[in-house]
Amino acid sequence: MPDNVGTLRSFILKAKTNTYAAGEGTRETASRAGAKDYSYASGDFKYMDSYVGELDFAGQEIVWEHDRPIWAMNYYGTALDPVEGFPEFLFEALRLVPEEAPYRGPRQHNSDKFKYVCSWHGDIHRFHGEEQIVHKGKIVYQLLFHGGSIQYG
């Protein structure tokens, strides 16, 4: 873990907003069959987001410092009722990831058609949470996530 947790938070924020959440990023050769991998590197840090699936999907984000894993987050999401415009709205919310809690998007974000809600417990060292997108009062998407620091003996 870096000496300064703020440095890790800032790096994760940059990595997320420069990869999948941006709707672009550097797509790597798949690390395993069927995976989509996005990476970002800066200084001594490297980040990878690797996931499988589309409407129902699972993935993992990992941060390395000096090629040693120091932080990770796992997630599973499902589009319960994919409504037109929902993927773009999700990307919009994910680009608003808060630095103090760089897991997914902000606690809440609204548009004319959708409402994004994200809740979490814990801190960057150990956390879990859930995000949802609501359309006309109905949950159309949800995702569970958890993760934290990686420690070595």
Side-chain angles (χ1 to χ4, degrees):
M1 195 64 150
D3 293 334
N4 183 344
V5 173
T7 301
L8 176 62
R9 282 190 188 115
S10 294
F11 174 76
I12 294 170
L13 182 75
K14 287 178 191 169
K16 287 177 177 268
T17 56
N18 282 287
T19 56
Y20 182 77
E24 52 189 66
T26 303
R27 186 155 173 201
E28 301 286 334
T29 302
S31 59
R32 54 194 177 251
K36 295 178 184 114
D37 294 354
Y38 292 87
S39 69
Y40 177 81
S42 178
D44 297 331
F45 296 96
K46 182 179 179 187
Y47 164 93
M48 173 149 318
D49 180 6
S50 179
Y51 69 96
V52 294
E54 289 184 17
L55 296 179
D56 294 333
F57 57 94
Q60 181 178 52
E61 299 175 20
I62 300 176
V63 173
W64 291 263
E65 182 180 26
H66 301 291
D67 295 324
R68 185 174 184 166
I70 61 165
W71 184 88
M73 180 179 79
N74 297 295
Y75 56 87
Y76 176 79
T78 185
L80 302 167
D81 185 8
V83 177
E84 184 179 336
F86 125 78
E88 294 81 8
F89 176 73
L90 176 59
F91 288 139
E92 181 181 308
L94 294 178
R95 284 191 295 272
L96 300 173
V97 58
E99 187 169 344
E100 69 277 3
Y103 317 128
R104 295 292 292 173
R107 290 211 182 263
Q108 189 167 322
H109 178 64
N110 298 308
S111 74
D112 292 341
K113 289 178 64 176
F114 300 102
K115 178 180 181 179
Y116 172 91
V117 178
C118 186
S119 62
W120 57 85
H121 303 280
D123 61 24
I124 198 160
H125 299 293
R126 185 177 297 148
F127 60 89
H128 66 277
E130 178 179 10
E131 72 181 6
Q132 297 179 336
I133 293 179
V134 178
H135 177 259
K136 296 183 179 178
K138 180 180 177 185
I139 298 170
V140 297
Y141 161 85
Q142 63 185 17
L143 180 136
L144 300 172
F145 59 90
H146 65 271
S149 301
I150 297 172
Q151 302 294 323
Y152 298 89

